[in-house]
Amino acid sequence: MAKPRVIYWFRTDLRLHDSPALKAALDLEPEALWPIFTWDPHYVYHVKASPNRWQYILDCQQDLSDSIRKLNPNSKLFVLREAPQTLLPKLFVAWKATHLVTLWDSDEVVAKNGGKPTMSITQLQTAGYKIGEVPKPISAPDSLPDPGEMPIDFEQAQAPKTADLNAPYRNKADKTYNSLAGPNGDFAIETLEELGLPAATTPHRGGETIALKQLNKIMADEKYAATFRKPETSPAAFEPQSTTLLSPHMHFGALSPRLFYWRAREVVEKYGKGASTPPESLTGQLLFRDMYFAAQAAIGSPYTQTLNNPYVRFIPWHLPSKHADTETGMSAISGEYHVDSPQADKWFRRWKAGTTGFPFVDALMRQLRIEGWIHHLGRHMVACFLTRGGCYVHWERGADVFEELLIDHEPASNAGNWQWLSCTAFFSQYFRCYSPVAFGQKWDKNGDFIRKWVPELRHLDAKYIYEPWKATQAALDKAGVRVEGDGLSNSHKEGVYPEAMFDFNERRSVCISAMKRAFKIGLHGNDEAVKNGTWKVLFEEAGETEMEGIGGAGDTDEGDYADDADHESHKISRSRDGGKHGRGKGNAIKQGPMDRHVKRLKN
Ligand SMILES: Cc1cc2nc3c(=O)[nH]c(=O)nc-3n(C[C@H](O)[C@H](O)[C@H](O)COP(=O)(O)OP(=O)(O)OC[C@H]3O[C@@H](n4cnc5c(N)ncnc54)[C@H](O)[C@@H]3O)c2cc1C
């Protein structure tokens, strides 16, 4: 019998280590193996991303290609410029391929959670416990077969002409699909130039080699890794940041979460007494990732939006999404929204631009734009501020901005965390709000983080750096800064920082009242009243509009319970572990997209 000829299609798994699908491909003992990546126009034009994330994926591909070449100088990552659904059938014939191998997400956690989404870490841990121990990661292969010949004497299907969500970034002609095998006909990795994009601004670079180096460095610092407690890590730390910054590597599959998990477990076991436990520990962080993945797997496409989502509370936020297709609700966070309040729209645009006049919020938003990454508690701060703790703007607007700017953008984690922060799902303590003054001061009294990202304020006395509206004229003169305008029209003026866009305490109390009312009315995304618009009547009957709200006292959230939605369940998970360093069976985590599927091709 003829030996298999395998097209190995790299998708969200840009690595060689811990790849069951690659192992399955090699177990076939193929006579030819073509590692390929195909540029899907859906991704290129319909997934919003700044050049920072494009650079990251190109880095991951280049590194993978170099690693493949090290194993076999005749091979590399062959990049093809066409949609997979039109390309692959032609390749199977032209290259006489017999097998296609991919990685897929698993629904096992959902099945073990009674077919329901995992809406708390306890549910995730219980389902994980039923599945059993997390499989150990497998090693990278030490050799790869040659690719076969690669004729492309077929017509390249043109990418459909559709709306390009990334058009605002393209400053050159888009040449992504000019030729199937790239400008030199050698199936090379695309460049930002080909994509028509400017240079990235982020200092963070992608690729399996960097990811493994970073992981080794983190685990070599045993005390850090074993005693990691997320709520004790500072959102204001930079160079180095206080958490691992491994999320973008995991997003592109350059790092296996199973490898990360087991390395963290081993360090904890060696460390013994004093090690941290889930959910605050490093393994606990990975549990959150799986919790959101399994929630998305169960809920399906409505997961990333409110409409049609039975698990998301309906709150009549400002700037709701325009739904092109209200039946399926598919385009919820495409970026198009109703401007029901010009005031809220301006707040939203100032939030996005990092010119709210609240220096801690602005510093975080500017770091997000330039670096594509901010600390988890920084994400808490800006998300709470945009939604239930300040602007009362829809969480889908914030998720949309994060989709564009994050280098680690992961649909499940992004939507889930925005729901958490806006108290629409996963978390409900809407009276706990992050103060843009007190929360930053807790971590960084001197405001060094603000001085780095908001240079207009870098010479301002620490006494005023979180609230420049309180600064005396003498203090402002000494710092060489004026506080005026909204930052949208005068953002390029040297030495000018915008005025605060509202009184935070006032807004917080307005928001809390409005949240209280919405919780009382108790609608969810799949309720008829939400779908047919009659929710308006219910809210009008219930009293004043959100803008006039009656106010409520509220608590200042300091982030201590940042990842702790249900204190009771947290206690349960600890006792199930016997309080031992996250080693109990209750910590079992089901790795995300790791099931292997080998499809026999019918050609
Ligand atoms: C509003 C909001 C939006 C977010 N959007 C994303 C996103 O698009 N992609 C993304 O990966 N994370 C997202 N997060 C979760 C979290 O902030 C990041 O995963 C984390 O900050 C990444 O930094 P790190 O690798 O240093 O994390 P570490 O603290 O070092 O944690 C290790 C890993 O655990 C996982 N993890 C940790 N916390 C969470 C969490 N709450 N949810 C899911 N996974 C978690 C990540 O994979 C992370 O790399 C979001 C959080 C908020 C509040």
Side-chain angles (χ1 to χ4, degrees):
M1 209 174 106
K3 280 193 144 196
R5 298 163 64 80
V6 174
I7 292 176
Y8 185 83
W9 181 18
F10 280 96
R11 301 178 74 190
T12 53
D13 52 328
L14 299 173
R15 66 169 182 272
L16 293 179
H17 73 273
D18 196 23
S19 175
L22 183 55
K23 183 175 181 310
L26 296 174
D27 286 349
L28 295 167
E29 298 182 8
E31 67 170 26
L33 182 127
W34 295 270
I36 69 159
F37 183 90
T38 69
W39 278 99
D40 187 339
H42 175 77
Y43 189 61
V44 174
Y45 300 120
H46 285 172
V47 174
K48 244 187 233 179
S50 84
N52 288 337
R53 198 156 82 243
W54 293 108
Q55 177 65 67
Y56 214 89
I57 188 173
L58 299 178
D59 286 348
C60 290
Q61 291 180 3
Q62 189 60 59
D63 186 63
L64 177 63
S65 193
D66 294 346
S67 301
I68 293 172
R69 189 150 274 206
K70 276 187 204 144
L71 293 181
N72 182 340
N74 296 328
S75 191
K76 65 177 184 177
L77 182 67
F78 299 105
V79 176
L80 293 118
R81 284 92 166 143
E82 193 179 317
Q85 62 272 31
T86 53
L87 174 70
L88 290 171
K90 293 183 288 194
L91 282 192
F92 300 148
V93 177
W95 297 2
K96 300 188 181 64
T98 57
H99 287 72
L100 171 70
V101 183
T102 60
L103 290 178
W104 290 106
D105 202 348
S106 166
D107 292 326
E108 214 177 342
V109 174
V110 180
K112 298 287 184 210
N113 194 41
K116 297 207 174 88
T118 45
M119 300 304 287
S120 74
I121 206 75
T122 315
Q123 289 176 354
L124 188 274
Q125 285 177 305
T126 308
Y129 179 80
K130 289 181 193 158
I131 293 170
E133 197 56 282
V134 178
K136 290 267 172 103
I138 57 175
S139 311
D142 43 28
S143 67
L144 288 173
D146 279 349
E149 330 64 68
M150 306 176 69
I152 45 168
D153 47 3
F154 49 81
E155 206 172 314
Q156 179 192 19
Q158 283 311 302
K161 291 265 168 273
T162 56
D164 175 8
L165 296 183
N166 295 306
Y169 281 109
R170 293 191 216 281
N171 62 351
K172 303 178 206 97
D174 171 12
K175 300 182 190 145
T176 313
Y177 294 101
N178 275 15
S179 59
L180 189 62
N184 302 320
D186 57 356
F187 304 95
I189 308 299
E190 293 238 10
T191 57
L192 287 178
E193 177 79 24
E194 266 183 279
L195 291 163
L197 294 168
T201 54
T202 181
H204 307 305
R205 304 304 294 258
E208 185 179 13
T209 308
I210 297 178
L212 293 175
K213 212 164 140 194
Q214 205 166 314
L215 181 72
N216 285 339
K217 193 171 160 209
I218 289 158
M219 297 306 162
D221 186 346
E222 289 175 10
K223 184 157 190 259
Y224 171 83
T227 64
F228 182 97
R229 286 182 178 83
K230 186 65 156 280
E232 290 169 21
T233 61
S234 168
F238 57 95
E239 290 167 15
Q241 74 292 335
S242 61
T243 55
T244 66
L245 224 162
L246 290 172
S247 51
H249 295 298
M250 279 189 287
H251 171 67
F252 289 109
L255 176 67
S256 154
R258 299 200 302 203
L259 180 67
F260 183 178
Y261 177 84
W262 276 105
R263 294 287 304 273
R265 281 262 305 254
E266 280 153 19
V267 171
V268 159
E269 281 169 23
K270 195 166 156 217
Y271 195 83
K273 199 161 175 258
S276 54
T277 55
E280 297 100 332
S281 63
L282 275 182
T283 52
Q285 302 314 302
L286 293 169
L287 292 178
F288 278 113
R289 183 173 180 272
D290 261 37
M291 177 185 84
Y292 291 121
F293 272 54
Q296 183 185 39
I299 295 172
S301 59
Y303 171 80
T304 54
Q305 63 192 39
T306 303
L307 188 65
N308 292 326
N309 187 339
Y311 290 87
V312 165
R313 290 182 192 92
F314 174 79
I315 315 279
W317 309 107
H318 291 303
L319 315 184
S321 302
K322 277 187 185 169
H323 292 274
D325 179 349
T326 42
E327 269 304 299
T328 61
M330 283 299 285
S331 61
I333 46 177
S334 65
E336 304 233 327
Y337 58 90
H338 296 281
V339 180
D340 62 325
S341 155
Q343 172 73 93
D345 190 36
K346 190 163 182 191
W347 289 343
F348 169 55
R349 286 184 288 116
R350 288 183 64 175
W351 175 84
K352 187 176 175 186
T355 60
T356 63
F358 291 93
F360 190 46
V361 172
D362 292 343
L364 288 161
M365 291 306 292
R366 294 182 196 188
Q367 183 191 22
L368 173 66
R369 181 167 295 277
I370 302 290
E371 282 196 12
W373 182 91
I374 48 176
H375 184 279
H376 182 58
L377 294 178
R379 299 181 198 204
H380 272 230
M381 172 74 245
V382 298
C384 180
F385 184 86
L386 180 70
T387 58
R388 66 185 170 83
C391 308
Y392 212 68
V393 163
H394 206 299
W395 65 267
E396 289 170 6
R397 299 286 68 69
D400 186 44
V401 171
F402 270 36
E403 169 175 338
E404 176 184 335
L405 298 179
L406 280 176
I407 51 173
D408 66 11
H409 172 251
E410 187 68 66
S413 302
N414 192 39
N417 276 288
W418 271 96
Q419 289 164 17
W420 179 304
L421 262 300
S422 60
C423 284
T424 48
F426 299 100
F427 182 73
S428 58
Q429 297 171 33
Y430 58 79
F431 46 87
R432 283 185 187 280
C433 287
Y434 288 92
S435 155
V437 176
F439 184 56
Q441 280 172 336
K442 173 185 165 179
W443 299 102
D444 177 19
K445 266 258 172 296
N446 193 45
D448 292 337
F449 179 74
I450 294 173
R451 292 173 206 280
K452 175 173 168 66
W453 291 106
V454 188
E456 309 92 282
L457 298 176
R458 72 177 164 267
H459 299 302
L460 193 60
D461 194 308
K463 199 156 97 188
Y464 304 120
I465 192 137
Y466 284 90
E467 0 181 35
W469 56 89
K470 286 190 179 166
T472 59
Q473 194 55 50
L476 292 172
D477 290 346
K478 193 168 159 224
V481 64
R482 282 178 301 155
V483 176
E484 62 186 43
D486 58 20
L488 291 176
S489 43
N490 62 2
S491 54
H492 299 302
K493 271 196 208 159
E494 279 281 307
V496 175
Y497 181 72
E499 287 165 355
M501 60 188 198
F502 46 59
D503 178 322
F504 173 72
N505 289 333
E506 207 175 89
R507 286 299 307 165
R508 175 174 57 184
S509 86
V510 167
C511 288
I512 287 173
S513 303
M515 291 296 288
K516 200 170 170 182
R517 184 169 54 249
F519 266 59
K520 208 164 160 200
I521 293 172
L523 293 176
H524 285 78
N526 66 334
D527 280 319
E528 270 316 306
V530 171
K531 292 194 218 169
N532 64 24
T534 53
W535 60 267
K536 281 194 187 117
V537 181
L538 295 174
F539 279 80
E540 272 159 21
E541 280 170 8
E544 74 298 321
T545 65
E546 176 271 322
M547 284 293 181
E548 308 163 30
I550 48 170
D555 280 356
T556 297
D557 198 327
E558 302 230 309
D560 300 345
Y561 303 102
D563 280 337
D564 200 359
D566 41 4
H567 299 278
E568 280 317 304
S569 65
H570 179 177
K571 280 185 215 142
I572 293 164
S573 72
R574 281 182 181 211
S575 60
R576 185 179 292 125
D577 290 353
K580 282 187 195 151
H581 334 311
R583 267 185 287 159
K585 285 182 181 163
N587 299 319
I589 175 178
K590 175 71 179 79
Q591 205 267 341
M594 267 297 152
D595 273 12
R596 81 185 156 198
H597 286 248
V598 182
K599 280 194 194 158
R600 176 96 205 157
L601 298 169
K602 289 187 202 137
N603 63 340

